[in-house]
Amino acid sequence: MQKKVGFFVYDDFAIWQVSLLLKFLTDADYQIETLSNNGGLVSTDGGVLVHTESIGHKNPNEYDFLLFPGGRVTKELVDNQHLKQFLQEFNGFIAASCASSAIVAGAGLVKGDFTTMPPIKEIFSEYFTEGNYTDTDIVVGEKLITSKGSAHFEFMMAVLEKSGLMEEDPRLKNIALKLSRNQTLINK
């Protein structure tokens, strides 16, 4: 059975934070379903339009994990009741980059250590009351990965590790380093 990722997007989302990760997931035969609240076209922060499917009639547990890029998160998005319910019904792990941690917090799912950009923590402080902010680039928990937007490489590596892809293909770490940081390959 093919593995599925629910890739949730919203207007002005930061595609650059997850583009290489999406490529690795696709190469590993994950089916990526690009989701939004209402479906239709959604614009990236670079103005590229992305076709999405509505979460309206989706079962959240048909996905192996949910992936949220950072971007311009609004209070309306965080307060969206349908999105909250979708997240609360989900049983897998969630990977939330940068500002999207506020979306997960809005659903009451940030209960332990988390990270995000400090302004996001301040703007959405009312949603993070059950969480413990750590000023690190990334926090990997049992059911939640959060990161600062600038830590897109570390975020990608944590998701690849959590999904089991690093174990399945040990070369993946070297390839990721080469493609994302233009580094010399590590001998292993």
Side-chain angles (χ1 to χ4, degrees):
M1 179 180 222
Q2 188 175 31
K3 294 181 181 180
K4 278 173 80 172
V5 176
F7 177 46
F8 186 88
V9 301
Y10 47 91
D11 282 327
D12 295 321
F13 75 95
I15 188 70
W16 59 270
Q17 291 180 357
V18 295
S19 58
L20 188 56
L21 172 59
L22 291 170
K23 182 202 178 341
F24 285 133
L25 291 170
T26 302
D27 286 353
D29 292 327
Y30 272 85
Q31 178 185 348
I32 310 292
E33 283 193 8
T34 307
L35 308 170
S36 67
N37 277 332
N38 301 316
L41 295 177
V42 172
S43 180
T44 70
D45 59 349
V48 175
L49 296 176
V50 177
H51 176 74
T52 68
E53 297 180 50
S54 170
I55 61 171
H57 299 292
K58 296 285 184 180
N59 173 359
N61 290 305
E62 70 184 76
Y63 304 103
D64 291 277
F65 67 93
L66 299 177
L67 176 63
F68 287 80
R72 195 167 298 157
V73 171
T74 64
K75 188 167 176 14
E76 292 77 28
L77 181 61
V78 174
D79 287 337
N80 182 283
Q81 290 302 313
H82 192 70
L83 179 54
K84 283 183 184 184
Q85 181 180 355
F86 184 84
L87 288 170
Q88 290 166 349
E89 290 175 4
F90 182 62
N91 293 322
F93 85 87
I94 299 171
S97 179
C98 197
S100 66
S101 61
I103 297 169
V104 180
L109 301 177
V110 176
K111 298 183 188 270
D113 290 344
F114 76 95
T115 193
T116 189
M117 299 302 286
I120 298 302
K121 177 185 65 103
E122 297 306 319
I123 292 168
F124 295 100
S125 61
E126 67 191 90
Y127 302 98
F128 289 112
T129 57
E130 294 185 57
N132 177 43
Y133 175 75
T134 59
D135 190 18
T136 59
D137 285 343
I138 189 160
V139 173
V140 179
E142 184 178 327
K143 304 229 4 147
L144 180 63
I145 297 172
T146 55
S147 73
K148 292 184 177 177
S150 58
H152 51 92
F153 175 78
E154 292 81 359
F155 179 75
M156 174 182 67
M157 298 306 284
V159 172
L160 292 173
E161 181 74 35
K162 188 84 166 171
S163 66
L165 290 177
M166 296 290 281
E167 187 176 322
E168 288 176 23
D169 186 357
R171 300 171 307 137
L172 198 54
K173 181 176 182 178
N174 288 334
I175 295 168
L177 275 170
K178 181 76 172 166
L179 292 175
S180 65
R181 290 192 166 172
N182 199 21
Q183 300 289 319
T184 305
L185 293 177
I186 299 170
N187 291 326
K188 278 196 177 184

